[in-house]
Amino acid sequence: MDPGHGADLTALAEVVARQRAEIERLRDVAATSAVLERAKGALMAVTGYTPSAAHEELLQRAKDGNRTLLEQCWLTLGALPPPREQPSGTAPASPMRPPATVASGDGAPAGTVDMAEVLGHIGRDLVRVGSPHELAGCLLEHLTPEVRADAVMLYERLPEGGLELIGHAGIDATLAAQWRHVPPLSGVPAFDALQAGEPRWLEDLPADRTRYLLIGNPPERWLTRAWLPVPAGNAACVALGVLRRHGRPFKPHERELLQAVARLCAGRLRAFDAPPERPDEDGVTQTVQAVFDALPGAAILLTPLRTASGEVEDYRIDAATAEAVDVFGRTGRDMVGKHILESYPSVAGESLWHGYLQALETGVPFDGEPFVYQDISDGAPVTATYSVRAAPLGDGLLVTWLRHDPVERQEQRLADVQRLGNLGWANWNLITQEISWSAQAYTVLGRGPARGPLRLDQLPGQALPEDAGPLTRAIGELVRNARPFDVPFRIETPQGVRHLRMVAEAVTEPDGSPVEVHGFVQDLTAQRSAELALVESERAMLLQRGILQAERALAARLQHALLPLPSKPVRLAGLRVEVAYLPAQSGIHVGGDWFSAIELPDYDALFVVGDVAGHGIDAVATMAQLRFTAKGMVSTGSSLTGALARLNQLLLHSRDSQTTATMVLARYDPDEQVLAWAQAGHPPPLLVRHGEVRYLDRPGGMLLGASGAPVFESAELRLEPGDRLLLYTDGLVERPGEGLDGGFTRLAEAVRSHGCGESGSLDALLATMLADERRDDVCVLDIRMPLEGDVQDGYA
């Protein structure tokens, strides 16, 4: 076995043993300190003692009972008996408060509990908490049954005036993150309680919302709240918030308990902030540490710790600079008294450990190999190169960390910044006339480095004539009055006009006279080009919008001219016919929906409802062509199916052969009271008869313009008195995200709910079906056969 390897393992084992012993010692110290602070706080809460008087009382009780101070603290937290008379020289203590009534969960008194007993339970549990966050959880656990608390928050006043959330319980992480930092605003209850030094009881939510900024989303989550200052000497720096979901006010015994708990928390919070105990230091060590406090960089002073045989087993840190840090995050004075193998365990057996020994034995400083380490600078990780140097100093070692920042690397970083930002710096000394430009400044100004830099007064000569004046005036004000400037200008280059920006300021003498000018010049050509392109794009968009609006207006006028709407219901072949046409509410185009309701030469009635795919002028033109062609063919004797076949051929041979349309053709014979109808891919008509609502079975037929050899069929329906028939376009039933079956169901239900036959109102039906925004035109023919004996006069 390698003896050196065994020695390393032994050293590591000793390190682990010492660390465990140190941890146990620190735990005992922390526990003792915490118990003492808790006992003092509980005694303060019950008796009203000051911190110093409470401490003296505990010492006296321990002496009288022949107990240790720790034993007396536990007894005080467990029972808190009434205090004996105040020692001479101190103010008399307030008498013990009477037992407090504690409410049950429903608000009714549940019994009488000694306030001291309640605080004793809280005090014993507070001893075990190790952070403000755990403190908030412990308080919520005890206050929930006592005052029906639902959440606890602890805010600490910051030196700059704001508040920071240091502990919470009963609220979610999102809300805690939103309210972690509170700026010094008026209307914050926690601020108000701290500034006044008195509790704030928020028990009227409507009134509280007008006075304060309330925590919670929504604020009604907690109907009553209490904010209490936690005393700390002459001023309070922590606010305790208790939030409840129910709205009853805080009862007197609840207020008394919460104020006592706030006083009880003061000692525990001080224990969190108390610095750890340190071993005594002699005057020499204190003096050395004072010197180290003033030193820059990272350095520590080590004293070797030797075994009985004289071998070095570890080193003690006797002094450390503020920038020194160990693996546990301790810095500066917090490291004093610790051991190297405790603060830097990875050093054991490594080359650095042997370098320390070498420096001690030979007296020659040891320089370690450089290594890469990641620092945090202004919150951002920064990679840097370090090396460690150990130099003998008396009987010990002075260890320093050296950071290597090569000048070349810094210059490269500066060059990268200028290149990426497309800018270059420049400096003009007005006294010595020395001029210094970076390489990127020559590139931005389009000037060869061989030609050298320009004087400050020569720069306006490089700008376009219309930009030279403002640049000249800005330079003049800078040189005479030290007024900084930020001026855009343009220069002419072989590649075209370049848009530049120059920013400069002056370095002045004590009397204000400028002696030096430094600044930078930046190329903004790409940004300016993008801005100009955006302006042109906006102009083109506005022009296109105007064209589309003009097209819409023209299409609307054409549509109104081609589809005149009757002002009231009309009578055709003994039928009452009502027409509705509603254009879409969105978009800038009109659609191709249309209708026809005319009386034929043989006194039959022709009803047509159609829909051309698309919008705009082309859709309106196609609609007009189909409407008049269909009326003409049926009027001259064509059958319904024959008319549909010819209209299909018309669309196939139109200018835009991709246009399609749907249509319903219906012809009514008043003598036979029979309605013959055919369809081309159109929604089925809706029949209302004797209170029943149903859709007609569609005869065969596909949409127009989709096939060169479609087959169209017809069907017949005998109308009865009181029948109502609806012909409509798909805009009435189509909705985004809903299938056609759902739309048909909605239409049938709307007809049932608004009455059937003569009692049904078309306006009410449309209002129900079209309550939301429409994306398509809607056309409806409402055809009704009057009941026998109904008067038909009065229809145009």
Side-chain angles (χ1 to χ4, degrees), residues 97 125 138 161 210 220 247 311 328 336 356 383 386 400 405-406 424 451 470 607 722 755 795-796:
R97 293 183 175 85
D125 287 346
C138 180
T210 62
E220 294 80 0
E311 297 181 358
F328 300 105
V336 175
Y356 288 173
T383 300
Y386 288 87
T400 56
D405 289 321
R451 300 173 59 187
F607 302 106
Y795 298 119

Side-chain angles (χ1 to χ4, degrees), residues 378-629:
D378 296 330
V382 177
T383 300
T385 303
Y386 288 87
S387 63
V388 178
R389 177 181 175 86
L393 182 62
D395 295 332
L397 286 176
L398 176 62
V399 179
T400 56
W401 287 264
L402 303 178
R403 176 170 176 168
H404 302 278
D405 289 321
V407 176
E408 297 81 5
R409 186 172 183 180
Q410 295 295 334
E411 291 180 350
Q412 182 60 47
R413 290 174 179 172
L414 180 58
D416 291 342
V417 169
Q418 295 183 78
R419 176 178 53 82
L420 296 174
N422 208 3
L423 57 85
W425 61 264
N427 188 82
W428 290 271
N429 190 309
L430 304 180
I431 305 301
T432 64
Q433 301 303 316
E434 293 180 2
I435 305 174
S436 178
W437 281 11
S438 69
Q440 192 67 22
Y442 289 97
T443 302
V444 171
L445 288 168
R447 184 178 179 85
R451 300 173 59 187
L454 293 171
R455 298 194 311 272
L456 196 57
D457 58 357
Q458 293 177 324
L459 280 178
Q462 305 298 309
L464 295 181
E466 54 268 35
D467 296 342
L471 185 58
T472 301
R473 289 191 293 271
I475 292 176
E477 285 293 325
L478 176 68
V479 173
R480 290 190 299 271
N481 302 318
R483 181 175 298 172
F485 67 81
D486 184 342
V487 176
F489 64 97
R490 294 166 296 171
I491 63 173
E492 186 72 47
T493 68
Q495 293 77 28
V497 175
R498 187 174 294 176
H499 296 264
L500 305 182
R501 169 199 181 200
M502 184 172 181
V503 180
E505 63 179 5
V507 178
T508 61
E509 293 282 8
D511 61 358
S513 302
V515 295
E516 190 173 348
V517 172
H518 56 255
F520 67 86
V521 58
Q522 185 176 17
D523 188 350
L524 302 178
T525 303
Q527 176 182 336
R528 184 57 179 162
S529 298
E531 293 173 353
L532 294 175
L534 179 60
V535 171
E536 291 299 323
S537 176
E538 291 177 349
R539 290 176 180 172
M541 182 181 65
L542 292 175
L543 178 61
Q544 181 65 21
R545 182 178 180 84
I547 293 174
L548 293 176
Q549 288 176 338
E551 179 183 337
R552 179 185 184 278
L554 175 60
R557 287 196 294 271
L558 285 174
Q559 193 174 50
H560 289 313
L562 295 172
L563 282 178
L565 289 174
S567 59
K568 58 183 179 179
V570 298
R571 187 180 67 179
L572 295 175
L575 300 177
R576 179 184 182 274
V577 181
E578 188 174 358
V579 180
Y581 177 80
L582 300 174
Q585 292 179 342
S586 62
I588 63 172
H589 295 298
V590 294
D593 292 21
W594 88 91
F595 68 92
S596 286
I598 62 172
E599 192 171 272
L600 298 175
D602 57 0
Y603 302 108
D604 287 0
L606 174 65
F607 302 106
V608 186
V609 171
D611 184 4
V612 175
H615 296 80
I617 295 294
D618 291 339
V620 173
T622 303
M623 174 269 289
Q625 188 178 32
L626 293 176
R627 180 172 185 264
F628 290 112
T629 302

Side-chain angles (χ1 to χ4, degrees), residues 56-358:
E56 291 295 329
E57 177 67 13
L58 290 173
L59 290 176
Q60 187 62 44
R61 291 183 182 184
K63 181 179 179 181
D64 293 345
N66 195 24
R67 293 184 291 267
T68 65
L69 179 60
L70 185 59
E71 291 173 342
Q72 183 60 49
C73 289
W74 278 115
L75 289 175
T76 302
L77 289 173
L80 284 177
R84 62 181 187 81
E85 290 190 7
Q86 185 74 5
S88 60
T90 61
S94 61
M96 291 289 290
R97 293 183 175 85
T101 301
V102 180
S104 62
D106 59 0
T112 299
V113 177
D114 191 344
M115 180 78 73
E117 181 179 352
V118 175
L119 294 174
H121 287 304
I122 297 176
R124 282 195 300 272
D125 287 346
L126 290 185
V127 172
R128 293 189 290 271
V129 303
S131 67
H133 194 70
E134 294 179 9
L135 174 61
C138 180
L139 291 179
L140 180 61
E141 180 182 353
H142 285 277
L143 294 180
T144 296
E146 304 295 343
V147 299
R148 296 185 64 180
D150 294 298
V152 170
M153 303 180 76
L154 290 170
Y155 273 105
E156 181 179 21
R157 194 204 314 255
L158 300 176
E160 58 270 19
L163 291 179
E164 181 180 6
L165 183 64
I166 60 174
H168 63 84
I171 65 174
D172 55 74
T174 301
L175 184 62
Q178 293 172 347
W179 288 88
R180 183 162 300 280
H181 297 284
V182 179
L185 303 173
S186 60
V188 177
F191 268 125
D192 196 5
L194 288 175
Q195 292 174 354
E198 297 178 353
R200 289 294 178 257
W201 310 99
L202 280 64
E203 301 168 323
D204 185 355
L205 183 62
D208 295 334
R209 294 182 67 171
T210 62
R211 297 172 53 203
Y212 294 115
L213 179 63
L214 299 182
I215 295 174
N217 187 18
E220 294 80 0
R221 179 177 179 182
W222 294 294
L223 298 178
T224 55
R225 308 153 188 253
W227 288 96
L228 305 99
V230 177
N234 296 327
C237 60
V238 175
L240 167 63
V242 178
L243 289 70
R244 308 193 303 181
R245 291 194 177 94
H246 60 90
R248 65 177 177 84
F250 290 91
K251 295 185 178 181
H253 76 271
E254 292 176 335
R255 294 191 177 195
E256 185 179 10
L257 176 61
L258 289 178
Q259 289 175 294
V261 168
R263 292 191 296 269
L264 190 62
C265 291
R268 191 62 187 139
L269 289 170
R270 284 196 301 272
F272 296 148
D273 297 333
E277 295 185 2
R278 296 178 182 151
D280 294 335
E281 299 172 349
D282 57 29
V284 175
T285 305
Q286 291 280 16
T287 303
V288 172
Q289 180 59 50
V291 174
F292 270 62
D293 288 340
L295 290 177
I300 55 176
L301 179 63
L302 303 181
T303 295
L305 303 177
R306 302 179 182 272
T307 62
S309 60
E311 297 181 358
V312 176
E313 62 175 359
D314 206 342
Y315 297 86
R316 184 183 67 246
I317 302 176
D318 287 340
T321 61
E323 295 185 27
V325 59
D326 65 7
V327 295
F328 300 105
R330 293 177 296 218
T331 60
R333 287 178 175 264
D334 292 335
M335 299 171 59
V336 175
K338 304 298 185 293
H339 294 176
I340 278 292
L341 293 180
E342 172 190 347
S343 298
Y344 307 97
S346 61
V347 172
E350 297 296 329
S351 59
L352 188 58
W353 178 267
H354 297 297
Y356 288 173
L357 296 177
Q358 178 183 336

